[in-house]
Amino acid sequence: RSDLAMYRAKGAGRNTLCFFDQEMQALVMRRVALEAELRDAILKGQLHVHYQAQVDGNRFVTGAEALLRWQHPLRGPVSPSEFIPIAEETGLILSLGSWVLQTACTQLALWATLPEMAHLTIAVNVSARQFRHKDFVGEVMSMLNRTGANPKKLKLELTEGMLLDNVDDTIVKMTKLRKEGIRFSLDDFGTGYSSLSYLKRLPLDQLKIDQSFVRDILTDPNDCGIVRTVIALGKNLGLTVIAEGVETETQRSFLNENGCLAYQGHLFGHPLPIEGFEQLVNRDNTNKLPASADYVI
Ligand code: C2E
Ligand code: MG
Ligand code: MG
Ligand code: MG
């Protein structure tokens, strides 16, 4: 008897298969609908940029990561982990990505006029397809020109996979943008498959330790070892190291004791709408000094 016959004979067969089909169908339909709805979500004002604090060794807020939020009128919030891959596959990420970049640069230009905010940096996530686009450099430059944002305050977050795709092209693009003063952070570091020799060639400024290693840093000896290694690697390559997903004081002090001096995570603040983020900066930076005179983390 075939495996399927065996399966059916056990009495689970038809219903299970049918259930599976329906679930798959629902997923496919949601995807198709989200894709169509994402097309004009920007125009309908359903997309927002939230800002999550990045702090230094003194817990001084030096900047924020810009994170997209989609507040769907019927479905409620849709996670970027769900809609970013759709945007990537359909090419919508190009317009979505420039919109986020524009929003961040406009914000930087505005902050430059406010004494308490003028030091803040913004880190923007760049997707593979966006970075691969032949005019990515030109687009970032013209965005800076149009908004008047200081390139030194802009950080771009890239991931390992997209950099190794075409290393020479990657290096050319990064070098051009770095000449303008833009900095680069390698997001989700440790989850990809970077070879260390490539890493050495890339004109990076920062490694961002993935939250999956930070989560169990105190209980899992492997994660603890990986984090220590990444911190040492960053030091040797002359890069700053920031940890993401820091949720507890024990995680923070462990990272601190091991030489990681920049952090991001719920311990310091959730991703917040602009007003909430500015309140957090006003509250948390009062009577506090940055760990370094140039605020760079
Ligand atoms: P990411 O760039 O690695 O962003 C960090 C994620 O960790 C965010 O998830 C953030 O909300 C979450 N997070 C922050 N602190 C904590 C913490 O203490 N604990 C835990 N458990 N999580 C924390 P989010 O906002 O859902 O974004 C998911 C991913 O979607 C991002 O990962 C990024 O890859 C992508 N994404 C978000 N916004 C954009 C965007 O504007 N453009 C592109 N291309 N991708 C984006
Ligand atoms: Mg990121
Ligand atoms: Mg990350
Ligand atoms: Mg991630």
Side-chain angles (χ1 to χ4, degrees), residues 209 213-214 216-221 223-229 231 243 246 248-261 263 267:
I209 304 175
F213 304 118
V214 175
D216 301 320
I217 199 175
L218 291 137
T219 50
D220 185 331
D223 288 345
C224 169
I226 289 169
V227 167
R228 282 198 171 119
T229 305
I231 295 168
V246 180
T248 67
E249 176 51 35
T250 41
Q251 288 170 337
R252 191 205 67 93
S253 59
F254 180 92
L255 287 159
N256 187 275
E257 281 154 22
N258 283 281
C260 175
L261 306 174
Y263 324 97
L267 179 62

Side-chain angles (χ1 to χ4, degrees), residues 187-188 210-211 244:
D187 204 355
D188 305 338
D210 190 65
Q211 51 180 275
E244 70 178 354

